[in-house]
Amino acid sequence: MAAIEVSGLAKTYRHGQPGAVRALQDVTLSIQAGEFVSLVGRTGSGKTTLLHCLGLLVRPTSGTVKVDGVDTASLTDGQRAELRGRRIGFVFQDRNLVPGLTALENVLLPLRYGWPRRGARARARELLDQVGMADHADDRPLQLTPGQAQRVAIARALMKSPSLILADEPTGEVDDETSDELLYLMQQVNRTSDVSFVIATDDPDVGSCMDRMVRMSEGRVASDQRLRTERIRLSGIR
Amino acid sequence: MRGVVERKLRSALTIGGVAAGILALTLSGAMAEHFGAQFDGGVRYYRAAIQVADDAGSTAGVVSTTRIDQIQRVPGVAIALPTIQLLARPGTTSVVPLGLPDTIVYADPREAKYSGLTTHVAQGRQLQANRQGEVVLGADLAQELGAKVGDTLDLPVKPRGANPDFVNHPFKVVGVLRRTGTLPDATASIGLLDAQMLLQESLPASFRDRVDPSSLASGITVYGKPGVNLDALADKISSTVPGVAATRPTDYVRGWDQSGKFGAATITVEVLALLFGALVIGSAMQLAVVERAGEVGLKMALGARAWHVAAEYVVEATGIALLGGALGLALGFGLAQLLDLAGRSIGMDIFLVTGRLVRIALALTVLVGLAAGTAAALRVFRTDPDVAMRMI
């Protein structure tokens, strides 16, 4: 079953008003469980809007979004939030972490909003260990390098065992070496679990090391290629 | 509340702003409580009795106790008693327009049965009949004079720059009254003979030697029998007893009951203080929502519903308000104590921080916090997650 699938998706900002912006047009896409996919395109190509539609953060103007087979069109905002919290993890480009919380507390943050907490701290520590941040559990975001902050964000995205992780330019603010490390880490997570990844990037090199590369242009899917990739080797993709 | 600690300067300014508002509220409220208590006591006392003075408009402000028998015979009168009141600290009252002047009083012991005001000694004992040279002090006056049971003090207190012919007498403090928050707190109660002596000495020299001190009183206090209309009884006394003027209790009380006007002024100050606090915390919280839009988006991305995030802002605003409120209350209480301490020597003891005031201040603080938090929360509800996410 597809982890997420969209069909005939369109999103127009200021719909029906002067100056309306058509951010997405007739996008049809299906992401299978365990896929490692990149959304590649220039700024303004619609990557982020598509990611937000996939993440149920924005309602499309038309078309459908199905998460684990559930059509989200008829869901209330609360139900969408619940589904998003349960099935989808997010990693952003920058300022991913809440400044006032430690790394461990940031990983625990998704549980603040209504999910069971039994064994949560142990799991959070385990995830920090998995992303190589066990020694920084008590550090605040300002004490972390951008790469370390992204690792914490990846751990947090995994906290509720989602079926899909959406990452918006996760390597945009880090140097090449750290970028490779992060991509390697995400690939490791993808390979060792059934979690699908959709990573939006404007860097074709990053996209080329994924299993599948979806090119976006002017709000449409310009191409959708399956790639034969090897495991990402550290500092090896450039 | 972690955010409060993280944003130290912003939080300090916000908490400081709220504290300033609550400080103003506490001080003005403490003044209102103080004067309210005084006025209430005065109203309670004077509503229950008729005050009778000399009708001739005697410049000396005295009345002869020989009128008492005549008043006593007026139908409806339960009892007529002499009262004597003199300034305990002449020369200080003109400096202080606020509050009750410190007063030397003689009140007949029988009055306790009729009066709306009752007193109890905190230390020592009450006055005893026919004992001279003794005084029972009200709580505030004792504190002002630094006097305790067993001390001796001169009454009236000699003011600075007093005339060479100023006369006072030593009195032994035999009791200090429990604080009432009203009239008796500022009194020095002495026996009848002593009071008549001091009253005579206070009269102009030309008049002083022509009067018999044993028939002197500042006024006569009249209590009516149960069910008697005191205003009507006052009119009857004025019309039937020659040489005296009885004031209707309702007219007397009207002069006393300034608490309404003072209360209105205080409420205005309190409303302004609250508005100030609300503006400070409200603007800070609005700014916080705008400034932390990315954080709002991030939390929504993690599965938070708008009300989750909104509730966090309400809690944060209420917490900040409570911190500011507690600080303002503490500062207000401390400042009131300091000002009272400094002003006590000139009889300017004008603050009373009551439990009711503390409860009101804290309740209003929470209200301001909730209002500011709710306003911020409404902004959160209007936040578009899509837009907020792009601010991360």
Side-chain angles (χ1 to χ4, degrees), chain B residues 162-229:
Chain B
N163 291 331
D165 60 347
F166 184 88
V167 179
N168 57 12
H169 300 272
F171 286 83
K172 185 180 181 188
V173 180
V174 296
V176 174
L177 296 178
R178 199 182 293 167
R179 188 179 299 277
T180 62
T182 184
L183 296 168
D185 290 351
T187 61
S189 297
I190 58 177
L192 178 62
L193 293 177
D194 287 335
Q196 286 176 323
M197 174 184 68
L198 294 184
L199 182 58
Q200 186 193 26
E201 288 172 357
S202 74
L203 297 175
S206 58
F207 190 63
R208 187 189 307 156
D209 300 331
R210 290 189 284 121
V211 294
D212 170 14
S214 65
S215 67
L216 280 180
S218 306
I220 297 168
T221 301
V222 178
Y223 290 92
K225 289 178 176 166
V228 169
N229 181 315

Side-chain angles (χ1 to χ4, degrees), chain A residues 13 48-49 52 57-58 78 81-82 84-85 88 90 92 94-102 105 109-110 112-115 140 156 160, chain B residues 2-3 5-7 291-292 294-309 312 384-392:
Chain A
Y13 290 103
T48 298
T49 301
H52 288 183
L57 285 166
V58 59
E82 196 276 332
R84 178 168 64 242
I88 303 169
F90 284 89
F92 301 100
D94 189 20
R95 290 192 289 168
N96 237 319
L97 307 179
V98 177
L101 305 179
T102 64
E105 289 164 341
L109 189 59
R112 188 189 281 184
Y113 306 113
W115 282 272
R140 298 291 172 89
R156 184 181 59 200
K160 285 184 293 176
Chain B
R2 195 78 64 87
V5 179
E6 286 298 314
R7 299 168 183 85
E291 196 180 64
R292 284 142 66 183
E295 193 176 305
V296 171
L298 176 65
K299 288 175 176 174
M300 286 181 171
L302 297 178
R305 301 182 191 188
W307 68 263
H308 281 129
V309 184
E312 289 177 359
D384 183 343
D386 184 40
V387 175
M389 295 296 292
R390 291 171 195 268
M391 297 175 81
I392 289 176

Side-chain angles (χ1 to χ4, degrees), chain A residues 1 24 106 172 186 211 216:
Chain A
M1 185 173 65
L24 291 178
N106 264 286
M186 286 189 277
D211 295 340
M216 297 287 298

Side-chain angles (χ1 to χ4, degrees), chain B residues 1-359:
Chain B
M1 295 312 293
R2 195 78 64 87
V4 176
V5 179
E6 286 298 314
R7 299 168 183 85
K8 288 188 183 66
L9 181 61
R10 169 87 50 83
S11 301
L13 289 173
T14 310
I15 290 169
V18 175
I22 296 298
L23 169 66
L25 185 149
T26 305
L27 287 179
S28 62
M31 281 176 72
E33 290 286 299
H34 176 80
F35 290 115
Q38 285 193 339
F39 291 134
D40 286 349
V43 168
R44 206 172 343 129
Y45 177 76
Y46 288 113
R47 186 176 284 152
I50 299 164
Q51 303 302 317
V52 178
D54 182 62
D55 183 34
S58 160
T59 51
V62 293
V63 62
S64 171
T65 53
T66 56
R67 307 286 186 201
I68 288 177
D69 287 343
Q70 294 169 277
I71 294 170
Q72 193 76 61
R73 286 196 290 273
V74 175
V77 171
I79 195 166
L81 302 166
T83 53
I84 295 173
Q85 294 189 353
L86 294 153
L87 290 177
R89 311 177 75 194
T92 57
T93 49
S94 58
V95 178
V96 185
L98 297 170
L100 301 171
D102 296 330
T103 310
I104 297 168
V105 298
Y106 163 73
D108 192 295
R110 287 171 292 174
E111 195 172 349
K113 186 179 165 189
Y114 299 93
S115 173
L117 278 178
T118 51
T119 57
H120 304 278
V121 286
Q123 299 159 28
R125 59 170 172 81
Q126 292 280 18
L127 292 172
Q128 289 177 348
N130 304 320
R131 297 275 292 262
Q132 287 186 260
E134 293 183 345
V135 63
V136 172
L137 296 175
D140 287 347
L141 186 56
Q143 208 166 6
E144 271 175 49
L145 299 174
K148 55 186 185 300
V149 173
D151 289 353
T152 299
L153 54 90
D154 293 330
L155 289 174
V157 176
K158 189 175 183 178
R160 281 183 192 163
N163 291 331
D165 60 347
F166 184 88
V167 179
N168 57 12
H169 300 272
F171 286 83
K172 185 180 181 188
V173 180
V174 296
V176 174
L177 296 178
R178 199 182 293 167
R179 188 179 299 277
T180 62
T182 184
L183 296 168
D185 290 351
T187 61
S189 297
I190 58 177
L192 178 62
L193 293 177
D194 287 335
Q196 286 176 323
M197 174 184 68
L198 294 184
L199 182 58
Q200 186 193 26
E201 288 172 357
S202 74
L203 297 175
S206 58
F207 190 63
R208 187 189 307 156
D209 300 331
R210 290 189 284 121
V211 294
D212 170 14
S214 65
S215 67
L216 280 180
S218 306
I220 297 168
T221 301
V222 178
Y223 290 92
K225 289 178 176 166
V228 169
N229 181 315
L230 293 182
D231 286 348
L233 183 58
D235 291 345
K236 198 184 288 180
I237 291 169
S238 294
S239 61
T240 58
V241 179
V244 298
T247 307
R248 293 172 163 198
T250 48
D251 292 342
Y252 208 99
V253 163
R254 197 171 297 135
W256 254 95
D257 190 10
Q258 300 297 314
S259 56
K261 291 174 196 166
F262 193 81
T266 305
I267 287 170
T268 307
V269 173
E270 288 177 355
V271 166
L272 286 175
L274 269 180
L275 276 178
F276 178 71
L279 277 175
V280 167
I281 190 167
S283 56
M285 293 311 296
Q286 290 290 316
L287 191 62
V289 176
V290 174
E291 196 180 64
R292 284 142 66 183
E295 193 176 305
V296 171
L298 176 65
K299 288 175 176 174
M300 286 181 171
L302 297 178
R305 301 182 191 188
W307 68 263
H308 281 129
V309 184
E312 289 177 359
Y313 278 96
V314 173
V315 169
E316 182 176 332
T318 308
I320 287 175
L322 269 176
L323 280 175
L327 183 65
L329 256 177
L331 287 175
F333 182 75
L335 200 55
Q337 298 295 314
L338 278 176
L339 289 172
D340 270 352
L341 201 65
R344 199 156 283 156
S345 60
I346 53 168
M348 198 171 128
D349 187 350
I350 55 170
F351 297 104
L352 178 64
V353 180
T354 60
R356 183 177 68 159
L357 176 63
V358 171
R359 285 194 296 277

